[in-house]
Amino acid sequence: MIGERIKRREDPRLLTGKGQYMADLVIHGMLHAALLRSPHAHARIKRIDPSGALKVPGAVAVFTGADLKQHLEPLASWYNFAGKQAPTQPHDYPLAVSKVRYMGEPVAVVVASDRYVAEDAMEQIEVEYEPLPVVVDAEEAMKENAPLLFEEAGSNIYWQGSFQYGAVEQAFAEADLVVKDKLYFHRFSSTPMEGYAILANYQSVDHSITIWGNFQSPAIFRLRIAHSLGIPMNRVRLITPPDIGGGFGLKMPLHPWAILVAFVSMKVMRPVKWVEDRLEHQAASHHGSEQTSYVEFAAKKDGTILGLRAKIIHNAGAYVHMPEPLGMVEWSHIPQGCYRFRNVAMECYSVLTNKCPVAPNRGYGRMQHQFLIERMMDRVAQELKMDPVDLRLKNFIRPEEFPYESTNGALYDSGQYAACVHKAQETLDWERWKKEQAKAREQGRYIGLGLVSIMDPGVTNMAMVGLFDKSLKMSTTGEAASLTIDPSGTITVLTGSWGQGHETTCAQVVAYEFGIPFEDVYVVPGIDTATHPVAGSSGTYASRFAAMASGALQGAAAELKEKMIRIAAHLWRTDAEKLEFSEGKVREKGGAGKFMPLAQLAALATYSPAKLPPGVKPGMESTFIYNYPKANEMDDSGRANFAATYANVVHAVALEVNPHTGQYEILKYVVVHDAGTLINPLIADGQVHGAVAHSLGAAMLEEFIYNDEGQLLNGSWVDYLCPKATDIPDIEVEHIVTPSPFTAYGVKGMGEGSGPVPALLAQALEDALSPLKQFRITWSRHTPEKVLSMLREARAG
Amino acid sequence: MTRHIITVTVNGTLYTREMDARKLLSDFIREDLGLTGTHLGCEHGQCGTCTILFNGVSMKSCLLLATQADGAKIMTVEGLAKDGVLHPLQESFWEHHGLQCGFCTPGMLMNALYFLTVNPRPTDLEIRRGIAGNLCRCTGYVNIVKAIKAAAEKMAQNKGA
Ligand code: FES
Ligand code: FES
């Protein structure tokens, strides 16, 4: 059951149009909200006159930032957990108060009988702005005389911190070679097909509120939503619908708009719904993080890498919404990548600018670090005239070194990095492409090969928040599950996270544990905080589901099996040690003698508690909160096991550049992946395909482009280019299975191993053009225009 | 706002409804007829999640007004399975894991259905071109292409039989 390519049970409803997404939810009497947004990137709001909105027939109410400020607590930040205030937080409400700080920031909300009317009404709101100087570049924003987003903070630097692991000075002193570069990782996002959406229904009779939303982590932010609304947490109920139209991390943050819609429902005493449209999503939902890095790598002549020193500057946009600024320290999962060098110094700046706020986006914060490491590996290889693959092989952590404690305490669980490289080369047919390349060069054609190797860590240990404030002591990684065996012998499963394929994979795990048919396990779709168990870090993010939910399911199943064995032992007046649970029943070990099926045991525990042994509680239900056993707190030197699992991935590519247009065609694309035991390889392959497509899209096409006035220039899907079927090649996926020694079944989190594609294409493009010139690509988005300008540069000599 | 009355056949059922002139066909299908399988990913003609068959031709319903559908025959994803039996395309998407979040799926299926009427035995590249108007953010298209290819073979066989 575990490891089988089982077709997903979610699919029939999705294939027949019966999926239920946020936009499909309707409750009686509900109103619709529309948000008026700022056309300016930075401006003082001199005057708002919303009165015109209410003259539109069907409009019910209108609110501005001033109303929110009067009634709500500002948005929470991580600092609240330590009883502190974040540098800019007192001013952050879901609607702008007195000032707007990015184009698209909401300034007013209207509710009306339907969305058409709400938008009509929205257009009648008058706002007078006084434009202010704009800063969109993070390094500019750090300068003394830069325009300030929050004047009272005195600086645009939201947070800064420096971390040193190992003997960095010494490493650089001993190096034969130090390579330096300034790298830029651009701003894009995986733009899920479905935007955010919220439906809130306040009940004044008991001062409670139910909020439906496509939240990726309702458990984490329930406390913070309650805090802003001023409603006790136990009266705030968050529910997700059964289906979500893609999240990719972007639906993980604290939703300012959940709080906004909830507030409106409280005021108008009616259910209120808001569905973010595409233009709103592109301009003002959240973007992935943009990073400038000044990097130095120290190496020996023989190619041994000694250390890395980096100053990284993270363009956070205008506001810092939880879980930000975590993206700034996500490198802590993979400080040294797949390599053995242990001297790492990181100097980090999270800087506010007049752009859209950032949020987790598939490969959160790690993509930037992977890009940095893989690019610098190539740089060292170039300088030493070594083959970039050989350089990687030389520096890999060896299989026998696992579990391997990296320099900052990240405990890499297992892996066979070199084996993955060999398999990737074999699958790509590396040697053949080398020959093709040589042949092509003779004909004046440019084929390039690339291969990069990265970690795909899963499950954030919340200890990581200690990196930006030592007084934040956390260690949660866990997930919760509850199992109920009913008297008919079927099992109901609830978990604290939801998302793609979970109904299938959870059912596989539970069916496996009890040895019962897959069909006998029902996994309740979606999450409801009133009914579903949660752990401190529950949610669908950081590739945590497979590793953490399986631990929770295994734990709950073990409790129930033990309970059933105790009951049977009592009834049969025998020793529990003589019994076992297998194939849906308790039986005598060896299998020859008596047995009792789980339906009978559950019925007994439910209807005849008098028959139970002393100390055994009635019912057949277990809730298990699993925390990863190696999840520790951060120590004073900034060390902890910052993730839980450490899958790894090798990507290899052959591409050909068209020297006339700068376009390039991917001739073959291979991924070799090691995520330990796979619960369902069909689903795992799909995750890899999706991750590659996101990253290929980013590396070839996608970027949010702002001008100096902070205007987003490509805010629609006409000009923000998502990859189409004609842009993505066939992707061949191979697996190597090195189980984690620490998790249930040896599974590792997976699905975000897409980070290296910008570095991969850079390497392959440099290789392709090397007969013309040895380029140093320091950027992450490789458009045909860019390649064409390289070709021109090469021809100009 | 002027009101209009239209009569339209959707998945074989005849509907007569009155609406504002400005109502989009996509909103009409979702809100007035309650057929929420037709999704809205962009509302500006780029993503294809709202694709339907309009008099047998694949169209993006967010780019049409409901009033333009007066007298038309429309098929949405809800009309694809017959008597609880999945269409070969649906079967094939299921079999080949051609969907993840499922948000693009209804539009993808409707466009694929039309595409296969025009090109019943397509190559991989033709399939990729045929669905280039439908975005999918989850699958990287790999399994969608496989699913459509396999369905085409199945449908051709069924026809032959
Ligand atoms: S919703 Fe119609 S094409 Fe995107
Ligand atoms: S399956 Fe999610 S967009 Fe296609």
Side-chain angles (χ1 to χ4, degrees), chain B residues 39-50 60-62:
Chain B
H39 295 156
L40 298 175
C42 73
E43 296 174 283
H44 57 266
Q46 293 300 307
C47 74
T49 55
C50 63
K60 290 172 173 168
S61 60
C62 74

Short mmCIF file of all heavy atoms in Angstrom, two decimals, chain B residues 39-50 60-62, ligand 1:
data_model
loop_
_atom_site.label_atom_id
_atom_site.label_comp_id
_atom_site.label_asym_id
_atom_site.label_seq_id
_atom_site.Cartn_x
_atom_site.Cartn_y
_atom_site.Cartn_z
N HIS B 39 -14.36 27.33 -14.18
CA HIS B 39 -13.61 28.15 -13.22
C HIS B 39 -13.14 29.47 -13.83
O HIS B 39 -13.17 29.64 -15.05
CB HIS B 39 -12.39 27.36 -12.73
CG HIS B 39 -12.74 26.13 -11.95
ND1 HIS B 39 -11.91 25.05 -11.83
CD2 HIS B 39 -13.87 25.82 -11.26
CE1 HIS B 39 -12.50 24.12 -11.08
NE2 HIS B 39 -13.69 24.56 -10.73
N LEU B 40 -12.71 30.35 -12.93
CA LEU B 40 -12.23 31.66 -13.38
C LEU B 40 -10.83 31.89 -12.83
O LEU B 40 -10.66 32.18 -11.65
CB LEU B 40 -13.17 32.76 -12.88
CG LEU B 40 -14.61 32.64 -13.40
CD1 LEU B 40 -15.50 33.70 -12.75
CD2 LEU B 40 -14.63 32.81 -14.92
N GLY B 41 -9.85 31.77 -13.70
CA GLY B 41 -8.47 31.95 -13.25
C GLY B 41 -7.93 33.32 -13.58
O GLY B 41 -6.94 33.75 -12.99
N CYS B 42 -8.54 34.01 -14.55
CA CYS B 42 -7.97 35.32 -14.90
C CYS B 42 -9.03 36.33 -15.33
O CYS B 42 -8.84 37.51 -15.18
CB CYS B 42 -6.92 35.16 -16.00
SG CYS B 42 -7.59 34.79 -17.63
N GLU B 43 -10.09 35.86 -15.93
CA GLU B 43 -11.14 36.74 -16.46
C GLU B 43 -10.62 37.73 -17.49
O GLU B 43 -11.20 38.79 -17.69
CB GLU B 43 -11.88 37.47 -15.33
CG GLU B 43 -12.63 36.50 -14.43
CD GLU B 43 -13.24 37.17 -13.22
OE1 GLU B 43 -12.49 37.47 -12.26
OE2 GLU B 43 -14.45 37.39 -13.26
N HIS B 44 -9.48 37.39 -18.10
CA HIS B 44 -9.09 38.18 -19.26
C HIS B 44 -8.53 37.32 -20.39
O HIS B 44 -7.63 37.74 -21.11
CB HIS B 44 -8.20 39.37 -18.90
CG HIS B 44 -6.93 39.04 -18.16
ND1 HIS B 44 -6.84 39.06 -16.79
CD2 HIS B 44 -5.69 38.70 -18.58
CE1 HIS B 44 -5.60 38.75 -16.41
NE2 HIS B 44 -4.88 38.52 -17.49
N GLY B 45 -9.07 36.13 -20.50
CA GLY B 45 -8.82 35.36 -21.71
C GLY B 45 -7.47 34.69 -21.83
O GLY B 45 -7.10 34.22 -22.90
N GLN B 46 -6.72 34.59 -20.72
CA GLN B 46 -5.37 34.06 -20.83
C GLN B 46 -5.19 32.66 -20.29
O GLN B 46 -4.23 31.98 -20.64
CB GLN B 46 -4.39 35.00 -20.09
CG GLN B 46 -4.25 36.34 -20.75
CD GLN B 46 -3.72 36.23 -22.16
OE1 GLN B 46 -2.70 35.62 -22.41
NE2 GLN B 46 -4.45 36.81 -23.11
N CYS B 47 -6.07 32.22 -19.38
CA CYS B 47 -5.75 30.98 -18.68
C CYS B 47 -6.53 29.77 -19.16
O CYS B 47 -6.10 28.64 -18.98
CB CYS B 47 -5.94 31.16 -17.18
SG CYS B 47 -7.67 31.22 -16.68
N GLY B 48 -7.70 29.99 -19.71
CA GLY B 48 -8.47 28.86 -20.24
C GLY B 48 -9.24 28.06 -19.21
O GLY B 48 -9.89 27.07 -19.57
N THR B 49 -9.21 28.45 -17.94
CA THR B 49 -9.96 27.66 -16.94
C THR B 49 -11.46 27.74 -17.17
O THR B 49 -12.21 26.91 -16.66
CB THR B 49 -9.69 28.12 -15.50
OG1 THR B 49 -9.96 29.51 -15.41
CG2 THR B 49 -8.25 27.86 -15.08
N CYS B 50 -11.91 28.74 -17.93
CA CYS B 50 -13.34 28.95 -18.14
C CYS B 50 -13.82 28.36 -19.46
O CYS B 50 -14.92 28.66 -19.91
CB CYS B 50 -13.63 30.45 -18.12
SG CYS B 50 -12.79 31.27 -19.49
N LYS B 60 -13.57 30.60 -24.56
CA LYS B 60 -13.34 31.07 -23.19
C LYS B 60 -14.55 31.88 -22.76
O LYS B 60 -14.80 32.97 -23.28
CB LYS B 60 -12.05 31.89 -23.15
CG LYS B 60 -10.83 30.97 -23.35
CD LYS B 60 -9.53 31.70 -23.53
CE LYS B 60 -8.39 30.69 -23.54
NZ LYS B 60 -7.11 31.24 -23.98
N SER B 61 -15.28 31.35 -21.80
CA SER B 61 -16.57 31.97 -21.47
C SER B 61 -16.41 33.30 -20.75
O SER B 61 -17.36 34.07 -20.67
CB SER B 61 -17.42 31.01 -20.64
OG SER B 61 -16.77 30.67 -19.43
N CYS B 62 -15.21 33.62 -20.26
CA CYS B 62 -15.03 34.92 -19.61
C CYS B 62 -14.92 36.04 -20.63
O CYS B 62 -14.93 37.21 -20.27
CB CYS B 62 -13.79 34.92 -18.71
SG CYS B 62 -12.23 34.97 -19.62
S1 FES C 1 -10.89 32.88 -16.85
FE1 FES C 1 -11.33 32.88 -18.92
S2 FES C 1 -9.42 32.63 -19.82
FE2 FES C 1 -8.91 32.87 -17.73
#
